[in-house]
């Protein structure tokens, strides 16, 4: 398994929120596999830079591309390039210690934040912005993020979507957690919930329960100094400001068909003043090497005999860890099927890691083994202990490599 970063686990380490440690327990299952004799982790090795797709094909009978979707979708509206209009992906990378985002530094010196998007990533970002700081202190959130969040002036976080409450992409567990945050009230306009109860018959159970909770919360009396405000049927058209952001202009949508989630624009507009905007409208797959068979419209790898893909670069950037793992098991079964029916030409021997190892040595690249990661893991846990946290992540690649090479 070749990995661009010196450490394994992808978005389980760098995406999953620090206050959801139980979700990261899947790392234990990954580590068990990594310790099998016939598995090799090769970190700090980037496909398309350090090794090419052709190098891998020359070395192995089958190549599985599982490099995820690491770009974010943009809105393409005026003002999107203003300072403090930020990508939620980068913001998450920043608080989670992704080396490339360690200097990201959002400006939290304003009272109102607008998050554009209503998926679980958007809710994660809202929760991190509004959580009492002592609830984050013990997690593996990076120290620099903790420091910045401690002096944050943000009191109100809007979570804005272009469709209605019946079509939010976040799930019930994440929303319920928001409604229980200490000192935070969830403000839902009950007018926006009108007629929803009549749609509930026959809809899947999870959607029904989530909609019932939205209706209930919209009717409940709430207290708290800070506010979480989900807003529906608003399409952003412009982010206004000059040197800093002043606010976001929206066109108000109307629902054409609530069951199908069809909406269209009206003539009406809305404007919300704010000092920071976080864009959370989805991820995008890219192609790191021109020889990879790739559908650039869909942003996905095209599989064929000997070339397989798995995870988000196979399915598109949707789904949780469980669905991603199920996809991986399915792709592995396809590979085994091809191998058993001799489609992979395994009679001709291939050099495997030896070839790649030579290429990496020639280029002077320090590959990191799983034992190298385990050394970093120990150091991170130890540093965390000293700070009363579960872990303090190392964010500097040179430092990671120095520890791995010890
Ligand atoms: C912010 C966020 C929060 C999430 N929270 C949850 C949650 O709480 N619960 C849940 O179940 N799911 C959650 N998910 C979803 C979950 O993270 C994904 O389903 C899963 O990680 C996708 O796995 P993947 O292997 O396809 O991609 P990734 O996890 O992104 O792994 C891809 C790996 O490929 C590496 N890579 C990229 N380019 C190259 C290259 N050129 N060469 C070599 N290596 C490369 C990357 O560094 C990365 O390690 C979250 C997702 C995000 C974005």
């Amino acid at each position: 398994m070749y990995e661009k970063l010196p450490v394994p686990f992808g978005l389980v380490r760098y995406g999953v929120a620090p206050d959801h440690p139980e979700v990261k327990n899947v790392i234990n299952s990954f580590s068990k596999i990594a310790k099998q004799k016939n598995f090799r982790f090769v970190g700090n090795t980037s496909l398309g830079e350090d090794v090419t797709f052709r190098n891998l094909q020359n070395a192995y009978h089958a190549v599985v591309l599982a490099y995820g979707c690491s770009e974010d979708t943009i809105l393409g509206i005026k003002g999107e390039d203003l300072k403090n209009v930020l990508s939620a992906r980068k913001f998450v990378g920043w608080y989670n210690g992704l080396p490339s985002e360690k200097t990201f530094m959002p400006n939290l010196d304003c009272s109102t934040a607008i998050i554009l998007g209503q998926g679980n990533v958007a809710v994660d970002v809202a929760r991190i912005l509004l959580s009492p700081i002592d609830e984050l202190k013990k997690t593996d959130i990076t120290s620099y993020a903790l420091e910045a969040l401690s002096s944050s002036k943000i009191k109100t976080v809007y979570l804005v979507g272009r469709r209605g409450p019946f079509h939010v992409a976040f799930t019930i567990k994440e929303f319920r957690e928001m409604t229980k945050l200490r000192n935070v009230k969830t403000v839902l306009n009950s007018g926006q919930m009108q007629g929803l109860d009549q749609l509930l018959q026959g809809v899947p159970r999870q959607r029904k329960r989530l909609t019932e909770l939205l209706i209930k919360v919209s009717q409940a009396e709430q207290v708290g100094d800070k506010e979480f405000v989900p807003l529906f049927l608003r399409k952003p058209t412009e982010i206004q400001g000059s040197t800093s952001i002043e606010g976001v202009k929206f066109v108000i949508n109307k629902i054409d068909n609530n069951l199908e989630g069809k909406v269209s624009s009206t003539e009406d507009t809305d404007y919300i003043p704010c000092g920071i905007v976080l864009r959370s409208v989805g991820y995008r797959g890219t192609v790191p090497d021109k020889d990879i068979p790739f559908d650039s419209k869909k942003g996905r790898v095209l599989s064929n005999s000997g070339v397989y893909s798995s995870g988000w670069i196979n399915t598109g950037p949707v789904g949780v860890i469980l669905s991603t793992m199920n996809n991986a098991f399915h792709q592995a079964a396809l590979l085994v099927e091809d191998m058993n029916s001799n489609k992979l030409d395994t009679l001709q021997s291939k050099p495997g890691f030896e070839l790649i190892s030579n290429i990496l040595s020639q280029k002077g690249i320090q590959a990191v083994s799983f034992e190298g990661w385990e050394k970093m893991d120990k150091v991170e846990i130890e540093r965390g202990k000293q700070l009363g946290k579960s872990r303090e992540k190392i964010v500097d690649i040179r430092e990671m490599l120095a520890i791995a090479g010890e």
Side-chain angles (χ1 to χ4, degrees):
M1 187 171 101
Y2 292 93
E3 164 61 51
K4 178 165 88 173
L5 293 165
V7 295
F9 312 133
L11 281 172
V12 177
R13 176 174 160 99
Y14 289 119
V16 171
D19 55 343
H20 285 173
E22 70 291 346
V23 179
K24 298 182 205 216
N25 284 345
V26 69
I27 285 179
N28 298 334
S29 314
F30 295 160
S31 300
K32 256 188 215 153
I33 295 167
K35 287 187 174 162
Q36 289 185 11
K37 274 202 204 100
N38 51 2
F39 177 90
R40 188 196 303 268
F41 173 74
V42 187
N44 195 37
T45 306
S46 184
L47 170 63
E49 274 178 48
D50 307 326
V51 289
T52 64
F53 178 61
R54 292 278 175 253
N55 293 153
L56 294 177
Q57 283 197 307
N58 290 337
Y60 299 95
H61 291 105
V63 176
V64 183
L65 296 157
Y67 57 83
C69 293
S70 51
E71 292 286 311
D72 51 11
T73 312
I74 57 162
L75 295 158
I77 59 172
K78 199 172 162 206
E80 203 169 347
D81 50 0
L82 282 174
K83 221 173 153 193
N84 235 22
V85 178
L86 309 172
S87 131
R89 177 182 63 85
K90 284 177 175 259
F91 185 77
V92 168
W94 169 73
Y95 65 63
N96 272 333
L98 187 65
S100 57
E101 307 306 343
K102 64 176 192 277
T103 55
F104 175 68
M105 266 303 159
N107 180 354
L108 308 176
D109 205 12
C110 56
S111 63
T112 305
I114 293 183
I115 303 174
L116 300 170
Q118 288 185 325
N120 279 340
V121 175
V123 176
D124 276 352
V125 170
R127 196 179 64 254
I128 295 295
L129 285 173
L130 290 170
S131 282
I133 208 73
D134 51 321
E135 310 230 332
L136 297 175
K137 263 186 186 153
K138 291 186 179 143
T139 71
D140 68 0
I141 192 168
T142 48
S143 287
Y144 56 73
L146 201 60
E147 200 183 312
L149 289 163
S150 314
S151 49
S152 160
K153 298 217 170 73
I154 294 175
K155 288 247 184 230
T156 302
V157 175
Y158 287 92
L159 196 82
V160 189
R162 64 188 177 86
R163 298 202 287 175
F166 197 57
H167 291 277
V168 289
F170 55 70
T171 44
I172 190 161
K173 182 174 162 279
E174 278 66 23
F175 179 69
R176 186 177 294 118
E177 201 176 349
M178 286 309 297
T179 65
K180 294 193 170 156
L181 269 193
R182 188 154 43 93
N183 201 23
V184 178
K185 55 184 172 196
T186 298
V187 180
L188 275 170
N189 178 340
S190 55
Q192 291 199 319
M193 304 292 149
Q194 250 167 24
L196 275 191
D197 46 352
Q198 282 143 39
L199 293 172
L200 295 180
Q201 227 181 11
V203 301
R205 189 168 164 265
Q206 278 174 334
R207 175 62 59 189
K208 183 168 180 261
R209 285 181 51 221
L210 172 58
T211 310
E212 282 168 350
L213 182 63
L214 286 164
I215 297 171
K216 191 173 146 201
V217 171
S218 74
Q219 293 162 348
E221 194 64 39
Q222 309 236 8
V223 284
D225 292 342
K226 295 183 182 174
E227 288 180 319
F228 170 56
V229 193
L231 265 188
F232 308 101
L233 296 169
R234 272 151 179 81
K235 185 174 108 181
T237 51
E238 186 183 339
I239 300 166
Q240 293 191 330
S242 48
T243 46
S244 57
I245 304 172
E246 284 157 19
V248 182
K249 253 176 112 173
F250 297 92
V251 156
I252 298 186
N253 284 343
K254 68 175 170 48
I255 296 171
D256 295 328
N257 182 325
N258 217 341
L259 283 178
E260 287 172 19
K262 282 200 178 134
V263 295
S264 57
S265 305
T266 66
E267 301 281 303
D268 298 331
T269 57
D270 194 5
Y271 176 79
I272 306 175
C274 68
I276 180 169
V277 172
L278 290 133
R279 179 186 58 218
S280 183
V281 290
Y283 284 59
R284 217 160 45 90
T286 55
V287 58
D289 183 320
K290 65 178 183 355
D291 290 325
I292 292 174
F294 194 75
D295 179 337
S296 28
K297 260 198 186 145
K298 288 190 178 150
R300 295 185 207 173
V301 164
L302 296 164
S303 306
N304 55 48
S305 203
V307 182
Y308 306 84
S309 68
S310 166
W312 277 15
I313 200 63
N314 173 272
T315 59
V318 284
V320 289
I321 295 164
L322 189 65
S323 50
T324 302
M325 283 173 82
N326 283 334
N327 172 263
F329 300 146
H330 176 68
Q331 299 306 320
L334 293 180
L335 193 162
V336 172
E337 204 177 295
D338 282 356
M339 194 164 66
N340 289 342
S341 55
N342 293 326
K343 280 195 190 149
L344 300 184
D345 197 15
T346 41
L347 290 177
Q348 187 208 343
S349 85
K350 294 227 179 182
F353 180 62
E354 208 184 309
L355 175 75
I356 307 294
S357 169
N358 284 337
I359 294 171
L360 295 178
S361 308
Q362 274 165 23
K363 291 189 174 176
I365 289 156
Q366 180 191 339
V368 175
S369 64
F370 200 74
E371 290 71 34
W373 149 247
E374 285 178 319
K375 288 183 196 164
M376 289 183 250
D377 188 33
K378 258 197 188 152
V379 172
E380 288 188 347
I381 293 172
E382 188 46 49
R383 287 184 187 172
K385 233 187 230 164
Q386 285 165 18
L387 297 167
K389 302 168 68 185
S390 59
R391 155 188 315 271
E392 181 63 33
K393 284 181 188 166
I394 305 163
V395 294
D396 184 74
I397 300 236
R398 268 177 310 184
E399 191 185 0
M400 286 178 170
L401 295 179
I403 295 169
E406 272 168 9

